Amino acid sequence: MSQRQSAQTASLTGYVAAFAAISVMSLCVISCTKGIYASSFMVIGATAFLLTLSGWLVVRNGQLLAASEERSRGLIDNALVGIFVHKDGKFQFVNKRFAEMLGYEPEELAETSVLETVHPDHRDMVAQRMRTREAGENVADTYQLRFLTKSGESGWADVWARPIAGGADQGILVNVVDITERKRAEEALRESEERFRTLFDGSVDAIFLADPDTGMLVEANEAAEALTGYSRAELLHMHQSQVHPPDEAERYRRMFAQHVEQGSAVGFEAELRRKDGSSVPIYISAALIEIAGRRLLQGRFVDLSERKEAERQLQASEKKFRTFTEQSLHPIWVIQDGRIVYCNSALSMYIGADSPEQAQGMKLNEIVEAESWAEVETRLRLLLSGKSQGERMAIRFTPLPGEVRWHDVQLGRIEYEGRPAVLADSQDITEIKLLMEELDAERLHDSLTGLYNRRYFNDVFGREVKHSDRYGTSLTLLMLDVDNFKAVNDAFGHAVGDQVLQAVAEVVRQHARGADIPIRFGGDEFLIVMPNTSWADAEAITRRLAERLTEYLQEQAEKGQLPDETAALVWISGGAASYQHETDETLDDVVRRADERMYEQKERNRAWRDRRGELPAEQRRTG
């Protein structure tokens, strides 16, 4: 018990003792006194009682108030949410949780500005809320903002703020909940969903998502629309069984329930009923997935129509089969007992055999990379056992030691010479795989300006040349250079120089046509690939670009984002060259001609600007 509480208890005891003494005395006097004196003593006794009771109540109320204040202080200090009070934009009180959230001790925040703990992106918003509330206008109690910790890191918070009873002039009570981790989780989820959507929409296979509890379709990609003949809007009002024959709806309902229970389904053949009533043989695989916390059953449908027709034709005529396969540019082969029993010339070339006859009899595990063999063997077993009628997979062949060739392979079960076998139709995708790996390893955009980089230019120019040759259209390269860029770097530093390059990129991007391809070629040089444009028309836009750049730099200077002198220093010079059809001219030749014309223009610009006196003398010779 505190000293204050002890004193209050002692005082209370005194009041009670006094009350008892006075009461006893009053009773004694009453019992011994007759007549009028008895009434007087009764009045005195009652008065003493009331005074004693009033004193006791005062002390008791004080004790209860002190205890309540102590409990409230303990609750606020130990609350799981941040709590603070501010007045006139300064902290008047902060609890431990709020101080910990920002990395401060509570005493450090006393009388400091609330806005100092708010992220710059949200300071104006918070300041406006304060001004609005001070003006006596209504402000929403809840909102979200980004805050700054003592170490300079940022976080997110849910905020609830209301005036203390008595009005805003008494201060504002604010509750703060740290939602930084939730925000990060939401962002990660959003990125994950975007990646899923990209893969979902870009798939060549029909993909359906269904509610595992009701069987109703909740999503379908474009390939699903093409396969079924229904629009996406129509599909999203259908039960999954409705894309199958009506007389087998119950069987497909049971299969759906089984797939949900098992969590997945190994590929199997089924029948799809299109909107026009026609039937399509399909291959289905299914798996339970989770998207944004919601369980869904994903079904992937592969159209087997072409494969079924091919199998029918192959079974009907061995001669047709051999004629077809020998003329095919795709490797086609038949596997039986783990060996290649038939293949066309395309396959023999890919696996390092001199002829189809040499390839026949080869063990498949001798030409398939070891890491791929286990999966290949499993798929073959499923097909030969009849548990699957079709499989698709990527196989890595090793025709020579240290060499790997990737093949996208379609596998189907057939009868070959009276026995079960596997027919394989494959396509070499090695170059695609290598290109994908290169693209993953090196991005095709310039990190500073966001424009395509020189590597992308080397790839795209070849495609544009083929298009130009094929249709006889013009193809021009416009080379651009930033005049006086070195002077900007020397005068204001590389950070301002980078801002100038970004400004040039933005201006070029704004003025590029839909078919034009703007590229940062290197350093302060930019290049625009311009299909269907003559070199004269291309050079004509250079001055417009330069004038727009001047306006843009002036706008940035007015905003305080660039030095005022920047616009006067910087200009753009440009030169164009068109690709010449039916010549041996190379990419380097076209770039060289455009570069030469650009430097000619650069010299003319420098002379013109010198005559106009737009540059200080020490900077006029910089180009």
Side-chain angles (χ1 to χ4, degrees), residues 10-29:
S11 177
L12 176 61
T13 303
Y15 276 116
V16 174
F19 166 70
I22 293 171
S23 298
V24 171
M25 289 173 64
S26 299
L27 289 174
C28 291
V29 171

Side-chain angles (χ1 to χ4, degrees), residues 379-386 388-391 411-413 422:
R379 301 288 184 93
L380 292 177
R381 190 179 299 114
L382 288 172
L383 289 164
L384 293 173
S385 66
S388 174
Q389 295 298 316
E391 296 285 335
L411 301 171
R413 187 180 187 276
V422 174

